[in-house]
Amino acid sequence: MYDVAIIGAGIVGSCLAYECSRYALKVLLLEKENDVSLGASRANTAIIHGGYDPDPKSLMGQLNVAGAYLTMDRVKTLDVEFKKTGSLIVGFDSEDAQVIQEKYNRGLENGVKGMQILSGEEARQREAHLSPEVTMALWVPDSGVINPWEFTLAHAEVAVREGVDLKLEQEVTSISWQDDHYLVQAGEASFAARYVVNCAGVHADTIHNMVAPPAYKIEPTRGQYYVLDRAAGDLVHSVIFPCPKAFTKGILVAPTVHGNILVGPDAERIEDPEDTDTTAAGLSHVAQDATRCVPSLNLRSNIRNYAGIRANSDYGDFFLKIVAPHFLDIAAIKSPGLTCAPVLAQEGVKLLQGEGLTCLPKTAWDGKRQVVRFKEIPEEDRQAFIADHPAYGRVICRCETITEGEIIAALKRGLPVVSLDGVKRRTGTGMGRCQGGFCGPRILEILCRETGISPEEITQDKAGSYILCGPTKGASCEEIKA
């Protein structure tokens, strides 16, 4: 019997697992995919928002600033890549000027610090490649860019290390109340838990409807992106937004923590919450809108396109409520959901305590994580480090300078890894110009060697995306090469 079962190992579910791991509780984290962070938590704009945009009366507005500051503190605790870049919301005409003034006033009400309304010339002093047609901008200093999947993984890694049970490839099919606990059915497996928390992202309404009358409907919204090669250079140093619209914050141009330029997303309502296909029409729209703000943007330096699905809803706000006895929804989490996830998790624990969950702090809880990134070691110290840790002297991913030692360390941090993209999310392999073309086979060999998984069972990403086929089941990499 578990005390708490969390459905969904995206950023919110992983943050909640992290918070629950502080206490003497038996906690279960269920995920339908073969890894954590395989939904919106990996395919988003990677922005920590300053808080100027949400309605102050909404939960989003009330939590955004607190979430931003908690996140900027948490990345230090968990050793997650983050850059405080600030954001510019740019306008072109009198209508945009009115929106910028409204966002400034809203930001003040939400508690955003340090904002400034700039003239077009002042904005271009900050960002030289802004369009000459920009007439004014809102500067929001307390915002930045993060590695979103690493942020999710870091919370999950600590949670598992501190006693949370993670069960992957467990898609919940039914939930029933059994006198004093829930029975959560996931395929042929069943799990008993006194409290259940729904953090299922784009599937949250489906999970909710298993235990309570419908309260909201998720409206899956696809957004498409370009990732530009680092050769695009220092085109922008802060996050560049156009004036936001009712349906979207607009097409942004932003640096990434890895030195690339990210462009996107569009916003397209779709029926299938798993449809992450990119389209020519969508990418064309992204390109057209982005170059309005930054005309010198060179999309021919694109190395990757991707799409993510946002859990927009007809509720219009975060849905953070007890919806049945001992059952909590943390649902309808759209932007600024990544920013707010750590504080949403804290609020979730409070609601569970209000439902009667006893939370006794552990006497020896460790919420920290530390990662060795070889390329961050000063050159004068590298030879001594390699002498003590030889695997860090073998570079596997040339584009990103990721070593074998980093891959092995990631595989030992407590979460199962069964795919090349699972290694990518943990270490950064395959993120560069060749997109894994050079390092992929070598990573597969290391993954098989370190985990004992057959090469035939290794996937590129989600379950079923096998890399190898043929009469190799159960064979080692050495046997296959022979």
Side-chain angles (χ1 to χ4, degrees):
M1 175 78 73
Y2 289 95
D3 295 304
V4 181
I6 302 166
I7 301 171
I11 183 57
V12 175
S14 295
C15 283
L16 183 62
Y18 177 90
E19 290 298 326
C20 288
S21 75
R22 298 175 184 268
Y23 306 105
L25 297 170
K26 189 175 181 183
V27 180
L28 172 67
L29 180 58
L30 287 173
E31 170 55 46
K32 74 181 184 69
E33 304 292 355
N34 63 1
D35 200 359
V36 308
S37 190
L38 282 188
S41 300
R42 69 164 174 175
N44 56 67
T45 52
I47 305 300
I48 300 306
H49 291 283
Y52 66 88
D53 190 53
D55 185 340
K57 297 182 180 64
S58 70
L59 197 56
M60 293 185 292
Q62 294 162 19
L63 298 182
N64 193 335
V65 172
Y69 286 124
L70 180 54
T71 294
M72 286 187 276
D73 183 61
R74 187 68 58 80
V75 295
K76 300 172 188 175
T77 302
L78 296 178
D79 196 4
V80 172
E81 295 168 299
F82 171 79
K83 290 182 182 178
K84 187 177 178 182
T85 61
S87 300
L88 278 174
I89 300 86
V90 302
F92 294 85
D93 52 35
S94 58
E95 183 179 340
D96 286 347
Q98 182 177 347
V99 172
I100 285 174
Q101 184 64 55
E102 291 171 353
K103 297 302 180 185
Y104 175 81
N105 294 338
R106 179 171 283 188
L108 291 177
E109 196 169 347
N110 286 340
V112 181
K113 300 176 182 178
M115 294 183 299
Q116 292 177 275
I117 294 180
L118 309 177
S119 67
E121 187 58 37
E122 289 171 328
R124 279 182 288 276
Q125 288 175 8
R126 287 189 175 275
E127 293 289 350
H129 294 98
L130 277 181
S131 167
E133 296 181 8
V134 169
T135 59
M136 68 183 308
L138 176 62
W139 169 244
V140 184
D142 287 341
S143 54
V145 294
I146 195 171
N147 183 332
W149 50 87
E150 184 188 28
F151 197 46
T152 305
L153 283 160
H155 282 94
E157 285 175 359
V158 171
V160 168
R161 189 189 70 208
E162 297 300 310
V164 171
D165 285 344
L166 171 66
K167 303 291 185 182
L168 299 172
E169 296 190 79
Q170 300 292 331
E171 183 171 1
V172 173
T173 53
S174 69
I175 305 172
S176 58
W177 179 251
Q178 307 286 319
D179 295 327
D180 63 347
H181 69 275
Y182 284 98
L183 189 66
V184 180
Q185 197 72 32
E188 296 182 359
S190 60
F191 306 92
R194 295 184 175 90
Y195 294 80
V196 175
V197 187
N198 172 17
C199 301
V202 293
H203 299 285
D205 53 353
T206 300
I207 299 298
H208 169 98
N209 294 344
M210 292 178 183
V211 300
Y216 55 89
K217 179 177 173 54
I218 299 296
E219 298 171 338
T221 303
R222 180 170 59 194
Q224 301 180 58
Y225 298 84
Y226 289 83
V227 180
L228 306 189
D229 186 77
R230 282 196 291 268
D234 296 332
L235 189 67
V236 297
H237 302 90
S238 50
V239 181
I240 310 297
F241 289 102
C243 280
K245 308 300 181 186
F247 188 49
T248 174
K249 287 185 171 69
I251 308 298
L252 64 82
V253 180
T256 73
V257 292
H258 301 111
N260 305 90
I261 299 292
L262 182 67
V263 184
D266 61 342
E268 178 188 3
R269 291 267 170 83
I270 57 174
E271 293 297 323
D272 181 0
E274 302 290 338
D275 183 3
T276 56
D277 289 346
T278 56
T279 67
L283 292 172
S284 177
H285 169 64
V286 169
Q288 182 177 353
D289 275 25
T291 51
R292 186 183 181 213
C293 292
V294 185
S296 58
L297 192 66
N298 179 14
L299 294 174
R300 288 179 294 180
S301 63
N302 178 54
I303 60 171
R304 184 88 174 189
N305 296 113
Y306 69 91
I309 311 297
R310 286 131 45 202
N312 285 349
S313 76
D314 59 2
Y315 186 70
D317 196 4
F318 297 155
F319 191 94
L320 178 64
K321 295 183 181 182
I322 300 291
V323 299
H326 292 200
F327 194 100
L328 171 65
D329 268 8
I330 310 181
I333 307 301
K334 62 175 185 177
S335 180
L338 174 63
T339 305
C340 295
V343 73
L344 277 166
Q346 292 180 345
E347 293 299 313
V349 170
K350 292 177 186 176
L351 288 172
L352 291 173
Q353 288 174 312
E355 274 289 288
L357 178 67
T358 300
C359 293
L360 299 176
K362 293 177 179 175
T363 55
W365 180 78
D366 181 8
K368 299 183 180 66
R369 186 191 81 136
Q370 191 169 11
V371 177
V372 174
R373 300 179 180 91
F374 181 77
K375 60 187 174 186
E376 295 179 359
I377 298 175
E379 287 195 25
E380 61 271 21
D381 298 332
R382 290 181 180 178
Q383 288 304 316
F385 187 84
I386 291 170
D388 292 334
H389 309 88
Y392 285 84
R394 294 187 285 274
V395 174
I396 301 300
C397 175
R398 293 177 177 178
C399 296
E400 300 297 305
T401 318
I402 309 298
T403 66
E404 184 174 4
E406 290 165 87
I407 296 170
I408 294 171
L411 298 177
K412 293 181 177 179
R413 287 203 290 266
L415 302 188
V417 185
V418 298
S419 70
L420 296 193
D421 281 2
V423 176
K424 174 182 179 178
R425 286 186 290 275
R426 287 158 175 80
T427 65
T429 53
M431 291 285 292
R433 183 175 296 177
C434 85
Q435 290 291 292
F438 172 78
C439 63
R442 302 174 74 191
I443 294 167
L444 186 147
E445 186 172 353
I446 294 169
L447 186 53
C448 294
R449 185 191 72 209
E450 296 296 322
T451 65
I453 301 174
S454 164
E456 190 179 62
E457 299 303 318
I458 298 295
T459 58
Q460 180 64 45
D461 192 10
K462 292 186 177 183
S465 59
Y466 297 110
I467 298 167
L468 301 178
C469 61
T472 60
K473 191 171 184 63
S476 68
C477 286
E478 288 71 21
E479 289 170 330
I480 291 173
K481 286 189 288 186

